[in-house]
Amino acid sequence: MQPTDLADPTQNPDAEEPTPPTSPVTPVSSVASEAPDSSDASEDSVALVDSDASEDEPAEPAVEEPAGRAPGRIRRILRSPGMSYALNILAGGLVFVALLYPNVLRRLTLGNFARIPIEAAFGILLLIVLPRRPRLVVGSILGAGLGWLLIQKSLDMGWFKTLARPFDVILDWELFDDTFNFIRDSYGAFGAYGAAIGAVVLAIGVVALMIWAVLRLAALITEHRRRSALAAAGIASAWMLSLALGFQLLPAVPVAARTSVTYAWDRAWQAKEGIANEAAFADEIKTDPYKDVPADQILTALRGKDVMITFVESYGRNAVESPSLAAGTAAVLEDGDATLKAAGFSARSGWLTSPTFGGNSWLAHSTTLSGLWINNQSRYRNLTSSDRLTIPYAMQKAGWDTVSVMPGATRAFPEGKFYGYNRIWDSRNLSYQGPRFSWAQMPDQYTLKQFTEVEYNKPGRKPLMVEMPLISSHTPWAPIPTFIDWDQVGDGSVYNAIAADGAQKADIWSSAAKVRREYGKSIRYTLTTLISWIEKYGNDNLVLVFLGDHQPSSVVTGDNASHDVPITIVAKDPAVLDRITGWNWTPSLKPAPDAPVWPMNTFRDRFFTAFGPNGGSH
């Protein structure tokens, strides 16, 4: 689903062919709020049929003050003609802004509001013809609807900046729990509860304010029916003329706007499509070419190998190719190539397209391991309640000892049974005694060192299949650990001084340039740590797959970045990499710009095929 208010005319439902600009038409609020005169009042009774005339609505009786008691100053101010006029303008302005409010942050400019909303004309006509009680009901519904549109468009702005997609009104509510946990882990419980309470109060206030604004305009419109009808006709005429002539004050932003109705239609269609997709997904889960493959025919070319699948948080294509980041990342990868070659290892790299962007890492993990496109929480929930064959579960059946190392997890992970893990190591049992690094519970170097001690170097063990997310490059990228000698890692208390001396969130989030700089530093830290671990601890049977889970948020990538992430396989046994010769991956830790790009959900089947009994030719 694409945003409704993009500047790209191919994605903007209001976009027309460019023509010379014209002046904006006066908003309805300023027309409808003009004070009537006696001649207009007499004309109203002749020229326009009053839809409320049959009801003979009595005028509202004036509220009289008790005898001997003068109205207070505040009450006098509120009843004054000037205040009434100001409140009418405020109500009209709120409705006008709500009708043209965009759902993309870069469109939140004054030029975006120099347009004519056709919805205003229909709203005025509807409120004119309705009797009093239905008018109150309909006005309240319209106000609540406008309030909700403001809230959802604001959510879209946040979703586009972090996840590069609009908010899904059906599927995204569960993400608020993860958002709350992220804020709590990064900024503390006080900040998380404060943000939650503030968001609820703000949402209620927005809806209430829009209901008030619409009802106040409804009362004003019915007091001046003839002028309001003429205003509606003028708005509609100006809108149709602007549409016909293609008037634009800004490129690809037509003066004739139908923003709200188109947006509401798009979101309704999105909800319908989401429900239909959920039904189709049940069939996708059942369609699995590897479901009935015997265990002794699975990954036969990797028997006896330790297979690790390591996700590097926010390691996206921009980290490798963006001008402001590429030099630092390339230097680490080029030095890493030389280091690993000297240690007897080789690498092959390509690109995968992630189903997510800027966050929701678990969707990328499940996509890679299950071979299904998991791009929302509903699909994830349905997947993990199914019997879909995952890479860890297939390897568990084939005799590997399957382990998950999840340093970012702070609570039980019931999905581990679905994936097929025999054991799960997380922040609760990895014995870390050092400080948190913002969201990250522990540095990646500690995670790898502790994994080595509790699993990898354990004598007499079976071949391991390990899934491990590395999290030091997780937003907000401050403070960042420093790579140290492996013998100094200890229980993690050595990181107390490192965390205290590092840049803090408040230091970097005042500037996008600083955020990009620290993001790049975090990626270099994790890649340096991983390459050093392979060199120091990797044995002859190690087969390590490391890949990004998604691109970082748009504060780093800018708008319209791809969903591509690097993926690399490192091994000492040449026969392992010979199996993927047909993939045409780059013989380096750094994928070439023209290396193959595959959807992330295709990796599982390609992996099973390449390392199966008949592999090596795919």
Side-chain angles (χ1 to χ4, degrees), residues 114-200:
R115 298 192 291 159
I116 305 170
I118 188 60
E119 300 91 346
F122 289 108
I124 293 172
L125 292 175
L126 178 63
L127 294 173
I128 286 175
V129 301
L130 286 175
R132 181 177 180 276
R133 289 182 180 177
R135 184 170 66 246
L136 293 176
V137 173
V138 171
S140 299
I141 294 173
L142 291 177
L146 283 177
W148 168 245
L149 286 182
L150 282 172
I151 293 170
Q152 184 163 356
K153 288 179 179 180
S154 297
L155 289 172
D156 280 357
M157 289 182 183
W159 254 242
F160 275 122
K161 292 301 290 183
T162 55
L163 304 179
R165 64 174 179 83
F167 176 78
D168 191 314
V169 71
I170 300 296
L171 304 175
D172 280 347
W173 294 105
E174 295 182 55
L175 297 183
F176 284 108
D177 179 56
D178 297 290
T179 302
F180 177 85
N181 291 333
F182 169 73
I183 297 173
R184 182 191 59 196
D185 293 342
S186 299
Y187 299 94
F190 180 80
Y193 284 109
I197 294 171
V200 171

Side-chain angles (χ1 to χ4, degrees), residues 263-556:
Y263 180 85
W265 174 263
D266 284 347
R267 289 301 168 266
W269 185 260
Q270 178 192 51
K272 179 183 176 182
E273 288 291 298
I275 294 171
N277 287 337
E278 290 307 298
F281 184 63
D283 294 331
E284 291 182 43
I285 292 177
K286 297 175 184 177
T287 305
D288 188 350
Y290 287 92
K291 181 177 182 180
D292 298 321
V293 174
D296 61 359
Q297 299 297 305
I298 292 175
L299 299 174
T300 54
L302 294 177
R303 294 301 166 89
K305 305 294 186 185
D306 294 316
V307 179
M308 293 178 61
I309 298 180
T310 303
F311 294 93
V312 177
E313 173 65 38
S314 300
Y315 179 38
R317 187 162 191 149
N318 273 55
V320 178
E321 295 185 346
S322 172
S324 63
L325 302 169
T329 306
V332 171
L333 296 177
E334 289 169 5
D335 290 346
D337 278 328
T339 298
L340 295 183
K341 183 178 180 181
F345 289 92
S346 298
R348 298 290 185 275
S349 300
W351 304 102
L352 298 180
T353 301
S354 175
T356 185
F357 186 102
N360 298 349
S361 303
W362 61 93
L363 303 182
H365 302 173
S366 59
T367 295
T368 303
L369 299 177
S370 72
L372 291 172
W373 191 254
I374 311 300
N375 62 344
N376 60 57
Q377 189 65 14
S378 178
R379 284 193 164 220
Y380 177 80
R381 185 176 58 249
N382 291 337
L383 170 69
T384 53
S385 62
S386 74
D387 60 353
R388 177 77 176 186
L389 186 70
T390 65
I391 293 176
Y393 185 48
M395 297 184 73
Q396 182 191 57
K397 292 199 320 180
W400 272 271
D401 187 9
T402 54
V403 178
S404 177
V405 182
M406 304 178 64
T410 58
R411 53 189 174 183
F413 183 61
E415 296 94 327
K417 182 177 180 181
F418 158 75
Y419 284 111
Y421 299 129
N422 293 331
R423 290 180 303 288
I424 296 176
W425 297 91
D426 60 26
S427 63
R428 300 171 301 168
N429 58 12
L430 283 171
S431 304
Y432 179 64
Q433 301 300 313
R436 297 169 62 96
F437 283 80
S438 191
W439 182 87
Q441 283 73 20
M442 63 192 71
D444 292 337
Q445 191 173 6
Y446 178 87
T447 300
L448 285 163
K449 181 66 181 296
Q450 190 70 356
F451 158 72
T452 304
E453 294 179 358
V454 301
E455 292 286 357
Y456 193 68
N457 282 350
K458 189 163 59 177
R461 63 171 175 79
K462 295 169 61 177
L464 290 170
M465 185 280 147
V466 182
E467 184 262 345
M468 180 190 302
L470 296 176
I471 60 174
S472 289
S473 50
H474 194 289
T475 182
W477 307 303
I480 299 169
T482 301
F483 181 76
I484 59 178
D485 188 274
W486 289 98
D487 295 333
Q488 296 178 351
V489 173
D491 64 0
S493 56
V494 66
Y495 290 105
N496 283 303
I498 295 174
D501 292 340
Q504 304 302 309
K505 295 182 290 292
D507 299 331
I508 73 166
W509 279 89
S510 60
S511 164
K514 292 180 180 179
V515 173
R516 284 191 291 271
R517 181 193 66 204
E518 296 302 305
Y519 161 76
K521 188 185 298 183
S522 73
I523 291 294
R524 295 194 297 273
Y525 164 78
T526 296
L527 293 177
T528 298
T529 300
L530 187 57
I531 293 167
S532 177
W533 182 87
I534 298 171
E535 177 197 21
K536 183 175 180 64
Y537 296 105
N539 60 32
D540 292 348
N541 290 319
L542 176 65
V543 177
L544 187 144
V545 182
F546 73 91
L547 66 154
D549 46 17
H550 53 72
Q551 289 258 50
S553 60
S554 60
V555 68
V556 173

